[in-house]
Amino acid sequence: MAKKVVVVRVGEKITQIVHMENVANNPTVFGCVRVPTPEGSVSEGMIINEVEIAKRIEKACLEKGIHTKDVIFTVASAKIASRETVIPAVAKNKMDAVVMAKVADLFPVDVDKYIFTYKVQGSDYQDKDQGKVRNVRIFAAPSDLIESYYKLAEEAEMNVISVEGDGNSIFQIMSRQVKNSVTMCIQINRDSTLVNVVTSNEMLLQRVIPYGVSVFTDAMIQEPVFGVDDYEKAYKVLSSQRVLVHSMNAANPSGDFSTAKRIEITNNGEYLVSNIARVIEYYNSKYKDREIQNVICVGVGCSIAGIHELLSNELSVEVTTPTELEGVRFNKKIVIDAAILQYLNCSVFSPLNFIPKSMALRNARKGSLTGALAIFAGLVLVSLVLSGFSIIELMTASSNHDELQARKNALAPVEDQYNELTDVENQYNIMSNIKTYTNSNNNHFHELIDKLSEMVPKSFKIQSIQSDEDAVT
């Protein structure tokens, strides 16, 4: 029987918990629950008050009958950055060194304060200049951000299996839905929106938009007509009643008061919608030959009544939400609907596995074998970072040597001709120098005799002639 795991995503307002199998293919989800995050306990994804959050998680698990102590955290934070790069298609045991050698160029940060990991994108391919290469997406997270989740696990008396990034989590689940098509996934969260453009094995583009469901709920709270005074109440109204109209700046020819208020709430989402449109425009300019074929809306925003029609009209492309999910199974008691799709980013298949150095050192002090291995891995990683640069330089030097050798071989057939021409040129230069140094006026004496013979009478006789460099007598 597959081992079970608890996947936890701690948002600034809501904490999501998913109880599922910890397997890479077709895991079963046994249950999902969401609870309010204690006020001020999270800042930009970092856990500030691990004690209070741990209590919430323990209570929620107890009420749901979840006794699993192994946990995978999905971190929702704009502080986690990613960059895609191309590396030589080296053996797996050389990957770390080659990837880490790229870090300094891709991330202008203090590498000692960050944790790096990576995922291979797509398959190896042939490059005309570099030979066989592969695309790799490198992820960087601040060490203190990742360490805060290990502290939370310790407070909740749970064992950390992995710390995952929000972006990779949604990519892993969406890549199993798109098959061979190019799909845009719009994950609308409470205060932000994550936009991914993916294929079945590659993340083509990822952007974070700083607007989410709260652009609508905040406006509703400010309007007494809706009768809501907090996010949860406003979100419930948005999900159960048709507050949003079909498009931005919709007409209201009759001047209806209710319609006018709905239009105001809808227009408050202008920055959210326009930023999504800009992402699409940027993608289309970068990948002109890989058109987006499907647009999917997930996250808490997909439950808002009318959100699909609004996005479809404003983006000029049909926006839908899946009615079933590939690659994951649900317990018979779970109904697949928009509400359950809020937990998509908590479905873990192939996590990034950020491991902080401090955790490795702590385990080493406890004398655990796992800690010792983690320290060794950390030291190896540091050495790989340093040696990675040397490996890249060696590869470059080797490539230059091969190029020069090829040029030498190409010129070999004309080497003999070149040597022969060089010898002729040398002989010519020697003869020219001899002629220059031995030239004198006496060399032209015969020409003078010939001219005199032509000028004087035949009876004229010359008894004697004397000459030197200056005169003839």
Side-chain angles (χ1 to χ4, degrees):
M1 184 176 179
K3 194 172 184 179
K4 297 178 182 180
V5 68
V6 177
V7 183
V8 179
R9 181 182 187 272
V10 183
E12 293 196 8
K13 300 296 182 180
I14 297 295
T15 296
Q16 298 170 307
I17 302 173
V18 174
H19 188 213
M20 62 184 294
E21 290 179 325
N22 186 22
V23 294
N25 297 314
N26 298 313
T28 297
V29 174
F30 302 104
C32 310
V33 62
R34 43 184 257 147
V35 296
T37 302
E39 191 71 26
S41 297
V42 180
S43 176
E44 296 184 313
M46 183 176 293
I47 307 299
I48 305 299
N49 189 343
E50 62 269 11
V51 175
E52 291 301 318
I53 297 177
K55 290 179 180 178
R56 294 287 176 94
I57 294 174
E58 289 175 322
K59 182 180 178 182
C61 289
L62 184 63
E63 291 175 351
K64 281 289 184 178
I66 300 173
H67 304 292
T68 304
K69 287 298 181 180
D70 289 337
V71 62
I72 296 176
F73 288 110
T74 299
V75 183
S77 176
K79 291 184 177 181
I80 298 179
S82 69
R83 298 288 187 274
E84 186 168 317
T85 188
V86 179
I87 65 170
V90 297
K92 187 176 181 179
N93 61 350
K94 296 181 180 179
M95 280 280 290
D96 287 351
V98 176
V99 169
M100 294 306 295
K102 293 272 190 176
V103 164
D105 294 330
L106 297 173
F107 301 95
V109 298
D110 184 351
V111 295
D112 292 333
K113 296 181 180 179
Y114 276 74
I115 301 170
F116 301 93
T117 186
Y118 61 90
K119 288 289 181 183
V120 175
Q121 302 282 289
S123 304
D124 296 351
Y125 61 94
Q126 198 72 24
D127 182 85
K128 63 179 182 180
D129 298 322
Q130 304 180 57
K132 195 174 184 181
V133 296
R134 63 174 61 118
N135 294 330
V136 175
R137 182 167 289 274
I138 306 176
F139 296 82
S143 297
D144 53 358
L145 171 67
I146 302 303
E147 288 170 357
S148 70
Y149 284 87
Y150 278 82
K151 293 177 183 177
L152 173 59
E154 186 177 0
E155 188 65 36
E157 297 182 348
M158 303 182 85
N159 175 46
V160 177
I161 299 300
S162 179
V163 177
E164 164 73 304
D166 205 24
N168 183 66
S169 179
I170 196 68
F171 164 68
Q172 294 297 334
I173 182 65
M174 291 312 305
S175 64
R176 288 161 169 78
Q177 315 306 312
V178 302
K179 302 189 186 310
N180 296 321
S181 65
V182 178
T183 297
M184 170 176 278
C185 176
I186 305 172
Q187 179 190 337
I188 307 177
N189 303 314
R190 173 171 173 160
D191 297 310
S192 64
T193 296
L194 180 64
V195 179
N196 287 295
V197 181
V198 303
T199 66
S200 60
N201 61 4
E202 187 177 6
M203 183 188 297
L204 300 176
L205 186 68
Q206 182 179 88
R207 290 292 184 272
V208 177
I209 297 172
Y211 305 101
V213 175
S214 59
V215 298
F216 303 118
T217 57
D218 288 351
M220 292 174 64
I221 293 171
Q222 299 300 319
E223 282 289 347
V225 67
F226 291 101
V228 294
D229 57 8
D230 62 26
Y231 170 83
E232 289 297 331
K233 293 177 182 177
Y235 178 72
K236 185 175 181 180
V237 173
L238 271 176
S239 303
S240 60
Q241 301 180 36
R242 183 63 184 265
V243 176
L244 301 186
V245 296
H246 58 83
S247 64
M248 297 290 177
N249 303 309
N252 184 19
S254 63
D256 181 72
F257 177 79
S258 175
T259 302
K261 291 301 178 184
R262 292 175 59 205
I263 292 173
E264 287 181 16
I265 301 302
T266 304
N267 289 345
N268 218 56
E270 179 180 358
Y271 288 134
L272 168 62
V273 176
S274 62
N275 272 274
I276 296 174
R278 289 192 188 97
V279 174
I280 294 176
E281 290 175 3
Y282 173 76
Y283 173 83
N284 288 336
S285 66
K286 185 177 182 181
Y287 296 96
K288 296 180 180 180
D289 58 339
R290 305 184 74 176
E291 181 181 355
I292 295 174
Q293 297 164 298
N294 301 295
V295 179
I296 294 174
C297 180
V298 297
V300 294
C302 74
S303 295
I304 298 176
I307 191 67
H308 300 89
E309 183 181 4
L310 174 64
L311 291 176
S312 296
N313 290 334
E314 293 298 321
L315 302 177
S316 300
V317 59
E318 185 180 6
V319 179
T320 61
T321 291
T323 55
E324 58 182 24
L325 293 176
E326 295 289 339
V328 59
R329 297 175 296 182
F330 288 89
N331 188 286
K332 294 180 180 180
K333 297 179 180 179
I334 299 177
V335 178
I336 307 300
D337 55 14
I340 203 67
L341 293 175
Q342 299 174 17
Y343 298 89
L344 271 182
N345 50 343
C346 293
S347 300
V348 178
F349 292 87
S350 180
L352 293 175
N353 197 23
F354 288 107
I355 303 177
K357 302 179 185 74
S358 60
M359 187 63 190
L361 293 172
R362 190 180 306 129
N363 287 340
R365 285 194 293 270
K366 293 178 181 178
S368 68
L369 177 60
T370 302
L373 290 174
I375 292 174
F376 177 73
L379 295 174
V380 170
L381 185 59
V382 172
S383 65
L384 288 174
V385 172
L386 297 175
S387 64
F389 293 101
S390 299
I391 292 175
I392 294 297
E393 291 177 357
L394 178 60
M395 289 180 176
T396 302
S398 177
S399 177
N400 292 338
H401 173 269
D402 292 343
E403 182 180 351
L404 292 173
Q405 186 64 44
R407 291 175 60 188
K408 177 183 176 182
N409 294 338
L411 293 173
V414 299
E415 184 176 6
D416 293 339
Q417 297 180 25
Y418 172 79
N419 292 336
E420 183 178 346
L421 289 173
T422 300
D423 184 60
V424 171
E425 183 180 11
N426 291 336
Q427 293 295 329
Y428 174 79
N429 290 334
I430 292 172
M431 295 300 296
S432 295
N433 290 334
I434 292 174
K435 182 177 180 180
T436 299
Y437 290 125
T438 58
N439 187 39
S440 68
N441 289 333
N442 286 331
N443 291 343
H444 305 284
F445 183 72
H446 290 290
E447 294 179 12
L448 176 61
I449 296 298
D450 292 339
K451 286 183 179 181
L452 286 174
S453 299
E454 294 175 358
M455 295 171 61
V456 301
K458 293 182 178 179
S459 60
F460 188 81
K461 293 183 179 180
I462 298 174
Q463 298 295 328
S464 66
I465 294 178
Q466 293 182 349
S467 67
D468 54 27
E469 283 294 312
D470 298 321
V472 176
T473 56

